[in-house]
Amino acid sequence: MILHSKNEVLLRIQELYDLLSKSEQKVAAYVLDNSDETMRLSIASLAKQVNVSEPTVVRFCRKLDFDGYQDFKIALAQGSNYTNETLKIIHEEILESDSLKEISQKVVNSHILALQQTFSYMNYDNLEEFLRLLGRGGKVEFYGLGGSGTVAIDGENKFLRTGIDTRVCIDSHIQLMRTALLKENDLIVIFSNSGTTKHFVNVMDIAKKNGTKTVLITSFKESLLGRMADLVFEVRARETSYKQEPSSSRVAMLAIIDVIVTAIALQNQNQYIQNIYETRQALAAGKEIKK
């Protein structure tokens, strides 16, 4: 399979490849290796070429967020909005021989691309619904485990000044206990890069029984958790080598929270400004040392 970096559609296929069915992977592999030829094929011709059914090709396209095969081909033909030189910098793997400047350039550009792709594919109707759920007056719980737990902590910290009753939990047992006590107007925001953490299946099952809505922020919206959550926000990031943890994904996750917090602040400006003043006063008082 050829590795591509100059077309956003091909990059997206690579990111989702492991989540496709075996039949869909056959379509994906052919497109990745024969992108120019694919643009000239009808859906029937492509299905015949890879020995799958036409509905399989349609399912493949829809998993990439396209309405159908024609939309997919148009996007494939349009390619990327980035220049070849920019893409070269963004997608080049970090090498042992790289200077500190080169490492910085590649890491930062990886973050930039993650942000641009995440918000270019954002479902803003879902973002509005997220705001609506937050405005119901219930408690908001931020859950994450491992690396995603650090994102949950930062998310709760960003929400402190909004006036919304928010709490963070990064302990799996406590998450289950807290979920069991939540009500219909409460909300759980889960950060899971893979979307496959088995523990959160149990959290979502308990939440559903209580009528508590769940929001998932993940890199794979077609994952098991993505199918279970009431709202899903997908971050799109390609991590460079030597970054074992999904750092670009986390940057994009936090950006989604930043957008939501900013929108809440604009809706409730007086309260938000007052909360900022009071929290700054508290912090300033804590720094004073009396002689």
Side-chain angles (χ1 to χ4, degrees), residues 100-150:
L100 189 57
K101 181 178 180 180
E102 289 170 325
I103 292 170
S104 300
Q105 201 173 36
K106 291 176 181 179
V107 171
V108 170
N109 281 315
S110 176
H111 293 344
I112 291 171
L113 181 61
L115 291 168
Q116 289 175 329
Q117 288 196 319
T118 295
F119 284 94
S120 66
Y121 286 93
M122 176 62 67
N123 184 325
Y124 286 95
D125 288 338
N126 283 352
L127 212 55
E128 291 283 356
E129 177 63 9
F130 191 5
L131 277 171
R132 189 191 69 79
L133 292 175
L134 288 165
R136 296 178 302 167
K139 291 182 289 187
V140 179
E141 301 271 332
F142 290 98
Y143 293 170
L145 296 175
S148 295
T150 63

Side-chain angles (χ1 to χ4, degrees), residues 4-16 64-66 75 79-83 86-87 90-91 108-124 218-221 233-240 248-249 251-253 255-256:
H4 291 272
S5 65
K6 296 181 180 180
N7 188 297
E8 292 178 21
V9 176
L10 299 178
L11 178 60
R12 187 62 184 151
I13 293 172
Q14 289 174 328
E15 291 173 346
L16 289 178
L64 296 173
D65 286 340
F66 297 107
S80 172
N81 293 326
Y82 304 102
T83 66
T86 301
L87 282 160
I90 290 172
H91 294 298
V108 170
N109 281 315
S110 176
H111 293 344
I112 291 171
L113 181 61
L115 291 168
Q116 289 175 329
Q117 288 196 319
T118 295
F119 284 94
S120 66
Y121 286 93
M122 176 62 67
N123 184 325
Y124 286 95
T218 181
S219 290
F220 301 98
K221 75 173 186 179
F233 296 96
E234 186 174 45
V235 299
R236 301 188 175 219
R238 181 184 185 275
E239 305 293 346
T240 58
S248 294
S249 299
V251 169
M253 287 180 177
I256 293 173

Side-chain angles (χ1 to χ4, degrees), residues 87-289:
L87 282 160
K88 184 175 183 289
I89 292 170
I90 290 172
H91 294 298
E92 273 185 334
E93 294 295 350
I94 293 174
L95 306 174
E96 291 183 26
S97 58
D98 282 347
S99 67
L100 189 57
K101 181 178 180 180
E102 289 170 325
I103 292 170
S104 300
Q105 201 173 36
K106 291 176 181 179
V107 171
V108 170
N109 281 315
S110 176
H111 293 344
I112 291 171
L113 181 61
L115 291 168
Q116 289 175 329
Q117 288 196 319
T118 295
F119 284 94
S120 66
Y121 286 93
M122 176 62 67
N123 184 325
Y124 286 95
D125 288 338
N126 283 352
L127 212 55
E128 291 283 356
E129 177 63 9
F130 191 5
L131 277 171
R132 189 191 69 79
L133 292 175
L134 288 165
R136 296 178 302 167
K139 291 182 289 187
V140 179
E141 301 271 332
F142 290 98
Y143 293 170
L145 296 175
S148 295
T150 63
V151 183
I153 292 170
D154 198 67
E156 194 257 359
N157 182 54
K158 292 178 187 298
F159 263 81
L160 277 175
R161 297 172 181 85
T162 64
I164 296 174
D165 184 6
T166 55
R167 300 174 187 178
V168 63
C169 181
I170 58 174
D171 180 282
S172 59
H173 290 170
I174 302 299
Q175 286 172 357
L176 292 171
M177 294 166 64
R178 290 170 80 120
T179 302
L181 300 176
L182 294 178
K183 309 300 181 185
E184 286 188 14
N185 274 353
D186 299 328
L187 182 68
I188 302 174
V189 181
I190 296 173
F191 300 91
S192 173
N193 185 62
S194 68
T196 59
T197 307
K198 186 177 179 181
H199 159 72
F200 287 126
V201 173
N202 297 331
V203 169
M204 288 185 177
D205 280 339
I206 295 171
K208 194 172 291 291
K209 290 177 183 176
N210 292 344
T212 306
K213 298 290 186 182
T214 55
V215 174
L216 175 70
I217 302 180
T218 181
S219 290
F220 301 98
K221 75 173 186 179
E222 296 296 335
S223 61
L224 176 58
L225 296 182
R227 295 192 294 271
M228 293 180 67
D230 294 292
L231 280 179
V232 183
F233 296 96
E234 186 174 45
V235 299
R236 301 188 175 219
R238 181 184 185 275
E239 305 293 346
T240 58
S241 57
Y242 292 96
K243 292 199 299 179
Q244 297 301 313
E245 293 295 320
S247 60
S248 294
S249 299
R250 291 179 195 163
V251 169
M253 287 180 177
L254 288 173
I256 293 173
I257 296 300
D258 280 336
V259 169
I260 289 293
V261 169
T262 302
I264 293 170
L266 289 172
Q267 289 177 351
N268 306 281
Q269 293 185 46
N270 292 337
Q271 182 64 56
Y272 190 73
I273 291 170
Q274 181 64 26
N275 291 343
I276 289 176
Y277 174 77
E278 291 179 0
T279 53
R280 284 180 179 173
Q281 288 290 102
L283 291 172
K287 290 178 182 178
E288 292 178 0
I289 299 176

